């Protein structure tokens, strides 16, 4: 069993390298908070187990104070995509143990870092970093019994910066990557601009709107100390009974491709050097928008020629635009689980479409 696992993670070395490269590029060491003075940060540095909070989330009264350098400058088609991995990153990855490589490919939701008072528990963070070598976290503490129902960029970034500091002092000492579902603006960040859903953005038939939404969402997400947006949504909405139809750019492959391309350019741009950008994530590859009975994650039955002609184009456009990451779809297509599929993830996504980013 262990020999098999070693073989699997040897094959996955390039993936760990991609993850580490993105993390090193986005989560720079000791990255200072863009917002706030640092006062009032909700961090518990002790091992105290006394629970004094009644569990009722509070209102974060911090005021949105965007920096002047975050001024919107209009559309640009230049996007830095995945590809060559620097030699120092490869050298660092090769020095990691199998356990550390597995940890770098593991993502944990922020609720596991909070204590019973809704505060960041540094002891828990050190546990995940030191014991499990975790390389990525996701979500907003407001969704997981954090002290505040909606975190301002000041409070959010103070929390993520505290986690980043611990990561650089413990375990493999690699910056962590923080992901957030900033699909229609950074809706999990208090004060951020909320945009129309994907279906409404597509209804404008103007790709500049998709770019603008991604551009603003990226700077609002980055202000909170997060580096990775789980967007854009590129599913082709075929079954109108599906509950997630509104999230994507509709049922037209060409329109969805144009919107998806612009959206990636808006989110990502020169994301490794521009601190107002995030890594984009094309999702959900593939066929997610055609559940046979309309229920979410139901099996999909899609003819091979239809899959290639109607469902692939938006993803191809996002890959050509340089999307740094991709997310698999849930469930089964034609009897084959996407998560385990060599054909869909390796043959189609990697080899035929040429995706070189993190999956």
């Amino acid at each position: 069993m262990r020999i098999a696992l070693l073989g699997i993670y040897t094959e996955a070395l390039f993936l760990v390298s991609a993850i580490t490269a993105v993390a090193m590029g986005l989560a720079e060491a000791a990255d200072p908070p863009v917002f706030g003075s640092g006062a009032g940060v909700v961090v518990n540095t002790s091992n105290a187990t006394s629970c004094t909070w009644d569990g009722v989330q509070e209102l974060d009264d911090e005021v949105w104070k965007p920096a002047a350098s975050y001024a919107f400058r209009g559309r640009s088609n230049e996007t830095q995509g995945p590809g060559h991995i620097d030699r120092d990153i490869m050298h660092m990855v090769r020095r990691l143990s199998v356990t550390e490589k597995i940890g770098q490919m593991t993502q944990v939701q922020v609720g596991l870092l909070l204590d019973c008072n809704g505060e960041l528990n540094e002891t828990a963070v050190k546990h995940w970093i030191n014991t499990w070598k975790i390389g990525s976290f996701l979500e907003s503490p407001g969704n997981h019994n954090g002290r505040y129902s909606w975190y301002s960029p000041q409070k959010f970034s103070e929390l993520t910066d505290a986690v980043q500091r611990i990561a650089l002092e413990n375990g493999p000492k690699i910056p962590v990557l923080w992901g957030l579902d900033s699909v229609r603006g950074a809706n999990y960040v208090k004060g951020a601009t909320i945009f129309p859903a994907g279906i409404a953005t597509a209804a404008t038939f103007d790709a500049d709107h998709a770019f603008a939404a991604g551009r603003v969402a990226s700077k609002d997400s980055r202000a909170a100390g997060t580096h990775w947006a789980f967007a854009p949504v590129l599913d082709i909405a075929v079954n109108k009974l599906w509950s997630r139809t509104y999230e994507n750019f509709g049922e037209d492959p060409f329109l969805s491709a144009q919107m998806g391309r612009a959206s990636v350019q808006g989110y990502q741009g020169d994301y490794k050097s521009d601190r107002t950008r995030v890594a984009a994530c094309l999702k959900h590859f593939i066929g997610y928008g055609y559940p046979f009975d309309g229920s979410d994650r139901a099996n999909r039955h899609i003819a091979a020629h239809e899959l290639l002609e109607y469902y692939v184009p938006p993803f191809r456009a996002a890959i050509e635009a340089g999307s740094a990451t991709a997310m698999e779809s849930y469930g089964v297509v034609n009897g084959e689980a996407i998560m385990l599929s060599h054909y869909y993830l390796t043959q189609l996504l990697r080899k035929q479409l040429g995706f070189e980013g993190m999956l």
Side-chain angles (χ1 to χ4, degrees):
M1 180 65 178
R2 183 168 178 80
I3 294 176
L5 286 174
L6 285 171
I8 292 172
Y9 289 107
T10 299
E11 290 293 323
L13 177 62
F14 81 97
L15 174 58
V16 183
S17 303
I19 295 172
T20 307
V22 172
M24 293 296 289
L26 290 174
E28 299 174 5
D31 201 12
V34 178
F35 293 86
S37 61
V41 58
V42 185
V43 176
N44 177 11
T45 59
S46 69
N47 293 318
T49 57
S50 176
C51 299
T52 59
W53 184 41
D54 61 6
V56 178
Q57 290 183 310
E58 302 171 9
L59 176 66
D60 182 351
D61 58 3
E62 292 281 1
V63 179
W64 176 256
K65 299 175 182 177
S69 61
Y70 281 3
F72 183 74
R73 293 185 175 86
R75 183 173 180 179
S76 171
N77 294 329
E78 297 181 4
T79 304
Q80 181 179 3
H84 173 73
I85 298 175
D86 294 339
R87 183 177 299 177
D88 59 335
I89 297 296
M90 291 299 299
H91 178 69
M92 179 175 62
V93 169
R94 290 194 177 100
R95 293 179 61 183
L96 296 176
S97 67
V98 173
T99 299
E100 288 171 332
K101 290 173 182 176
I102 295 172
Q104 286 298 300
M105 293 191 290
T106 303
Q107 188 174 61
V108 170
Q109 56 98 339
V110 66
L112 297 176
L113 307 181
L114 304 179
D115 64 16
C116 57
N117 292 312
E119 301 175 349
L120 182 68
N121 186 335
E122 291 198 354
T123 302
V125 179
K126 291 177 182 177
H127 168 75
W128 287 108
I129 298 294
N130 284 320
T131 304
W132 297 100
K133 321 300 181 186
I134 298 301
S136 180
F137 297 96
L138 78 158
E139 267 274 23
S140 163
N143 293 344
H144 295 279
N145 207 35
R147 175 70 65 147
Y148 303 105
S149 57
W150 202 12
Y151 278 66
S152 65
Q154 294 96 323
K155 289 288 195 298
F156 208 141
S157 64
E158 286 165 358
L159 185 146
T160 54
D161 285 343
V163 172
Q164 205 69 260
R165 173 180 53 78
I166 294 172
L168 293 172
E169 297 172 353
N170 294 270
K173 296 182 174 60
I174 297 176
V176 298
L177 191 59
W178 201 294
L180 196 63
D181 269 302
S182 297
V183 176
R184 50 184 301 187
N187 54 290
Y188 290 119
V189 180
K190 179 188 174 186
T193 302
I194 307 300
F195 289 87
I199 195 74
T201 301
T204 68
F205 292 91
D206 187 345
D208 286 347
H209 287 304
F211 175 89
R215 182 67 188 89
V216 175
S218 67
K219 66 96 175 174
D220 289 352
S221 300
R222 197 64 187 269
T226 65
H227 325 94
W228 181 14
F230 301 135
V233 182
L234 300 176
D235 306 307
I236 295 297
V238 177
N239 192 332
K240 303 306 182 289
L241 298 175
W242 185 41
S243 60
R244 301 189 66 173
T245 297
Y246 70 96
E247 294 183 51
N248 49 66
F249 296 120
E251 62 182 348
D252 182 87
F254 178 79
L255 178 60
S256 183
Q258 298 307 306
M259 291 291 176
R261 185 190 305 274
S263 184
V264 169
Q265 293 167 347
Y267 277 102
Q268 194 164 297
D270 187 9
Y271 73 116
K272 290 186 179 180
S273 59
D274 185 347
R275 290 185 58 205
T276 71
R277 299 298 187 112
V278 296
C281 180
L282 56 91
K283 68 178 189 183
H284 308 82
F285 191 86
I286 190 168
Y288 188 38
Y290 192 20
F292 80 99
D293 64 355
S295 59
D296 191 35
R297 308 186 188 189
N299 293 346
R300 280 90 73 191
H301 308 288
I302 306 171
H305 70 280
E306 290 183 3
L307 188 83
L308 297 176
E309 186 172 356
Y310 292 101
Y311 295 86
V312 163
F315 293 98
R316 179 188 287 115
I319 292 169
E320 292 173 350
S323 181
T325 72
M327 182 188 300
E328 308 93 326
S329 70
Y330 309 102
V332 173
V333 173
N334 299 331
E336 189 168 356
I338 294 294
M339 291 286 189
L340 305 175
S341 173
H342 178 270
Y343 169 71
Y344 290 118
L345 300 184
T346 301
Q347 191 64 34
L348 180 57
L349 180 61
R350 294 286 188 192
K351 294 184 179 180
Q352 294 185 30
L353 298 181
F355 178 66
E356 298 181 334
M358 184 175 77
L359 180 59

